[in-house]
Amino acid sequence: MCGIIGYVGKNNALNVIIDGLERLEYRGYDSAGIAYLNSDGLLDIKKEKGKIKNLKETLDFDIKSSLGIGHTRWATHGEPNFVNSHPHKVGKITIVHNGIIENYMELKQELLKSGYSFKSNTDTEVACALLDKIYNETNSIEHTISIFRKKARGAYALGIIVDDDYNHLYAVKKDSPLIIALGDKENYIASDVPAILKYTNKYITIEDDEFAKISSDKVLVYDNNADLKKFEVKTFAGNSNDVMKNGYDHYMLKEIYEQPEVIKKTTLPIIEKDLDSLVNNMPDFSKYKKIDIVACGSAYHAGLVGKNLIEEYANVPVNVDIASEYRYKKLFIDKDTLVIVVSQSGETADTLAALNIAKTHGCDVMGIINVVESSIARKSDIVMYTKAGAEIAVATTKAYSCQIALLSLIALNIAYKNKEIDKSKALEVLKSIRCLPTNMQSVLNEFDEYKKIANKIYNNDKIFYIGRDIDYALSMEGSLKLKEISYINSQCYAAGELKHGTISLIDEGTPVIALVTNEKMAEKTISNIKEVKARGAYVILVTTDNINTDGDYYDEKIVVPCTNKFVQPILTVIPLQMLSYEIARLRGCDIDKPKNLAKSVTVE
């Protein structure tokens, strides 16, 4: 979950690397470091605990440097401190690393016997020492990397500098994201495209177990047999403005407000010519008797919404699993099962592992992904892309909404093709999808009202969310958003479960955010709300404008427009996102970079 950038070329490496690290800081901000060639032709290493601004203060940007590697860290091995920060240097080898070397303790014991000593508690320093040992034996960095790949187990992306060769930057990857970007007499490596968009939009993807030798004017890529291979130069469709705040106080707020536009980009190309397009622009799902949806975090919550819609309208059984559980449980899947893996980054380690396991069972795997050419996208049999654009805030908003949008279209596609809903009903859904951006904007326009509610509850140490049916899935996402960025102990419960124990947690004045958007279940959910209100809860009701809410069982009310159930969740979640944002802002939290979290979870 760390960010890597490397540079070799004509410009000032310090400027390029620090700028790239700032754009990658969403991947980790426990510490940051840089190794660069100084004006004396020697390699300097600077690193600092905390955010990149701490590192910047130690650097002299007047130094002209043609080579460097940088790193922003989310700690996995060893606490976040100076000694454990990257880059690490052992002998003639300096590296930055994203991922985990799973057999690092075994390797460390071997290296200790060979006379190596270690300053840090990291697996990265062990990897660096192993590279140095092999290099001293082979005197060839190409051979060194080839041997390293056979000895090191786990996931890794490495940027490597060798003291004997300051004209080249080396890179190797396995199950961890890394791209090579191409400029004019300068080339780069990076964990993600946004890091280099200021300089170029041309890039190369390298596959697992491949490595590269990079100079200012040449890139050589070696395959898993260490043979040179041809590569395709790709062009990223976005630009550097996509990763700027553009006047917003936080990326999260910007991304919340971008949702109407990205929903339009995600859905309209699929339904451009009504039902014909819905059928022709989507995969054929008719051969599958069962669907498994596998994801983590917010993507898992999107999967729960998808399950509800697919089962209710398409009449196909759907299982939803957290990826870290799915990869270890007994699976009842076969060639008649479609496994849908959902990931914003397309690099989520547990989801990627689940994908690989599904393939061993003979299943087709479909990826719902936001990042083109990501690992999951490349390994999936079928890919549907969310068109959310770059999402920088750690807490997802717009990518989550786009995931729900695609799952809703899948539900509609299957339901229509299987004749579970008729043509007129399907056309009504398409009309609702086309109206969705306008309705979303109307909800966004009520932010000042949500701020007033946030101001009344932000000092509470616990907040509860309740709902039934699809509202329960949305409540889970609302609760996660709040705890992610405000650090409030927020919990979500199925409304009907309250009386089975959890209602004991309600004290006088405890905020309870209750969702009631399903007219069929409104009466039952309102009964549950009255139960918590009777125990002194401060109730914030989130409902739709078609539901009768007469009564004294709530203290605040948020009303969103009623629309078709296929798209209602996307409208309903917006107030939950905005409440979380405003509560975190009032509490003075670092909204875009919440503690202990990183955007792209590339370790198990």
Side-chain angles (χ1 to χ4, degrees):
M1 286 152 56
C2 305
I4 289 174
I5 182 141
Y7 175 82
V8 55
K10 61 185 181 182
N11 284 317
N12 188 336
L14 273 75
N15 287 325
V16 174
I17 291 169
I18 293 298
D19 180 72
L21 287 179
E22 288 178 327
R23 294 168 187 266
L24 289 173
E25 198 167 15
Y26 62 89
R27 299 182 76 96
Y29 28 90
D30 290 333
S31 62
I34 183 172
Y36 62 93
L37 196 62
N38 65 25
S39 53
D40 296 324
L42 301 173
L43 201 67
D44 273 353
I45 296 177
K46 303 280 188 183
K47 46 189 182 178
E48 292 292 331
K49 182 180 178 181
K51 295 183 181 178
I52 292 164
K53 64 180 182 180
N54 299 337
L55 176 64
K56 285 178 72 173
E57 291 170 358
T58 71
L59 298 174
D60 178 2
F61 287 92
D62 291 329
I63 294 173
K64 302 300 180 186
S65 176
S66 61
L67 177 71
I69 50 177
H71 189 269
T72 181
R73 183 175 187 238
W74 187 86
T76 52
H77 285 76
E79 66 180 271
N81 59 25
F82 176 85
V83 174
N84 290 330
S85 302
H86 303 208
H88 286 277
K89 180 175 174 62
V90 178
K92 294 182 177 182
I93 304 294
T94 303
I95 70 170
V96 289
H97 169 217
N98 179 22
I100 288 180
I101 307 298
E102 293 176 353
N103 61 332
Y104 84 103
M105 286 302 297
E106 173 189 328
L107 295 170
K108 189 172 186 176
Q109 294 305 313
E110 294 177 10
L111 291 162
L112 286 168
K113 291 176 184 176
S114 298
Y116 283 88
S117 60
F118 297 91
K119 302 174 184 176
S120 76
N121 298 318
T122 66
D123 57 335
T124 303
E125 189 182 12
V126 173
C128 193
L130 177 60
L131 286 163
D132 182 70
K133 180 177 184 295
I134 300 169
Y135 181 68
N136 288 330
E137 294 167 353
T138 65
N139 203 34
S140 163
I141 190 63
E142 292 89 349
H143 290 158
T144 295
I145 293 171
S146 293
I147 296 168
F148 172 87
R149 292 177 310 174
K150 297 173 183 176
K151 287 181 171 288
R153 295 196 308 271
Y156 50 81
L158 300 179
I160 306 167
I161 293 176
V162 185
D163 282 352
D164 293 338
D165 181 9
Y166 287 152
N167 292 317
H168 290 93
L169 175 64
Y170 295 87
V172 59
K173 79 172 288 288
K174 183 179 187 299
D175 294 331
S176 195
L178 194 70
I179 57 116
I180 302 167
L182 308 178
D184 179 17
K185 296 185 179 177
E186 55 187 352
N187 293 307
Y188 317 75
I189 62 170
S191 298
D192 205 352
V193 176
I196 49 79
L197 273 182
K198 181 177 177 180
Y199 305 98
T200 180
N201 63 353
K202 306 294 183 185
Y203 70 99
I204 301 164
T205 56
I206 58 175
E207 302 295 334
D208 288 343
D209 289 320
E210 295 182 346
F211 67 95
K213 179 179 182 179
I214 306 160
S215 67
S216 60
D217 58 2
K218 193 171 187 179
V219 173
L220 299 176
V221 177
Y222 299 83
D223 64 19
N224 56 4
N225 294 316
D227 295 324
L228 277 171
K229 63 168 282 188
K230 293 181 179 179
F231 53 79
E232 177 189 356
V233 178
K234 299 171 183 177
T235 302
F236 186 72
N239 58 62
S240 59
N241 287 332
D242 295 339
V243 293
M244 306 302 288
K245 289 181 186 174
N246 295 338
Y248 288 92
D249 290 339
H250 297 92
Y251 281 110
M252 183 178 179
L253 187 61
K254 169 179 175 275
E255 290 160 9
I256 288 172
Y257 273 99
E258 287 175 339
Q259 288 179 109
E261 185 61 28
V262 299
I263 287 292
K264 193 185 302 182
K265 289 180 179 178
T266 298
T267 59
L268 294 191
I270 297 173
I271 60 170
E272 56 185 340
K273 295 178 181 177
D274 289 333
L275 295 174
D276 287 342
S277 294
L278 178 74
V279 171
N280 296 329
N281 292 345
M282 296 186 75
D284 180 9
F285 299 102
S286 61
K287 70 175 181 177
Y288 305 112
K289 298 177 181 176
K290 173 177 175 284
I291 294 173
D292 277 12
I293 300 175
V294 185
C296 304
S298 292
Y300 168 73
H301 297 157
L304 292 173
V305 174
K307 168 187 170 70
N308 184 289
L309 295 172
I310 295 169
E311 288 188 337
E312 179 168 348
Y313 293 104
N315 203 30
V316 173
V318 180
N319 174 60
V320 184
D321 266 300
I322 297 168
S324 56
E325 296 291 326
Y326 191 82
R327 58 187 293 192
Y328 296 114
K329 67 182 284 188
K330 185 173 183 178
L331 299 176
F332 298 91
I333 57 176
D334 56 27
K335 61 181 177 59
D336 295 325
T337 306
L338 174 65
V339 177
I340 301 177
V341 293
V342 188
S343 167
Q344 185 279 140
S345 68
E347 303 292 349
T348 311
D350 287 310
T351 309
L352 184 58
L355 180 158
N356 292 331
I357 290 167
K359 281 182 165 290
T360 66
H361 284 73
C363 299
D364 287 344
V365 177
M366 176 180 183
I368 294 180
I369 309 298
N370 194 48
V371 180
V372 176
E373 292 293 333
S374 57
S375 297
I376 294 175
R378 294 200 305 275
K379 291 190 174 185
S380 297
D381 302 295
I382 311 163
V383 181
M384 291 189 71
Y385 286 110
T386 54
K387 303 294 179 62
E391 190 177 63
I392 304 301
V394 166
T396 182
T397 52
K398 60 178 183 173
Y400 166 83
S401 295
C402 288
Q403 289 163 357
I404 291 179
L406 285 184
L407 288 164
S408 299
L409 287 172
I410 290 170
L412 180 61
N413 175 289
I414 300 172
Y416 177 65
K417 286 193 70 177
N418 290 358
K419 295 182 170 49
E420 297 291 339
I421 62 173
D422 61 27
K423 184 175 181 178
S424 62
K425 172 69 173 176
L427 288 171
E428 284 178 21
V429 178
L430 296 187
K431 182 179 178 181
S432 298
I433 293 171
R434 290 193 173 91
C435 294
L436 183 58
T438 301
N439 285 331
M440 293 174 75
Q441 192 59 55
S442 72
V443 178
L444 290 166
N445 291 343
E446 297 298 316
F447 190 23
D448 285 345
E449 295 303 311
Y450 312 148
K451 286 180 179 179
K452 293 175 185 177
I453 297 171
N455 201 56
K456 295 176 182 179
I457 63 174
Y458 77 93
N459 274 323
N460 286 270
D461 292 327
K462 61 180 181 181
I463 294 178
F464 295 97
Y465 289 72
I466 62 173
R468 286 175 178 259
D469 191 57
I470 209 163
D471 287 336
Y472 178 40
L474 292 171
S475 295
M476 293 172 72
E477 174 60 13
S479 178
L480 177 61
K481 279 292 146 293
L482 186 63
K483 62 170 70 86
E484 278 181 314
I485 62 172
S486 74
Y487 319 138
I488 291 173
N489 185 9
S490 166
Q491 300 295 328
C492 174
Y493 296 100
E497 275 293 289
L498 287 168
K499 60 179 69 68
H500 298 287
T502 51
I503 201 167
S504 64
L505 298 171
I506 301 298
D507 298 314
E508 187 69 32
T510 300
V512 175
I513 299 173
L515 275 65
V516 185
T517 69
N518 186 336
E519 201 167 14
K520 290 190 299 184
M521 293 191 173
E523 188 175 279
K524 292 291 185 184
T525 309
I526 288 170
S527 294
N528 301 136
I529 297 170
K530 289 177 178 178
E531 290 167 2
V532 296
K533 185 62 180 170
R535 272 76 180 178
Y538 187 85
V539 175
I540 298 101
L541 177 66
V542 181
T543 188
T544 49
D545 55 17
N546 65 315
I547 291 177
N548 182 0
T549 57
D550 291 343
D552 58 356
Y553 56 90
Y554 57 87
D555 300 275
E556 307 287 346
K557 183 166 71 169
I558 293 171
V559 180
V560 297
C562 176
T563 185
N564 194 284
K565 190 176 177 181
F566 279 88
V567 295
Q568 186 70 59
I570 298 171
L571 283 184
T572 307
V573 80
I574 293 174
L576 308 184
Q577 296 170 343
M578 298 185 106
L579 277 175
S580 297
Y581 171 84
E582 185 62 16
I583 289 169
R585 191 191 68 79
L586 290 168
R587 291 170 71 93
C589 299
D590 193 343
I591 291 171
D592 289 332
K593 305 182 186 74
K595 66 182 182 182
N596 302 335
L597 298 177
K599 183 70 174 172
S600 180
V601 186
T602 55
V603 295
E604 181 179 356

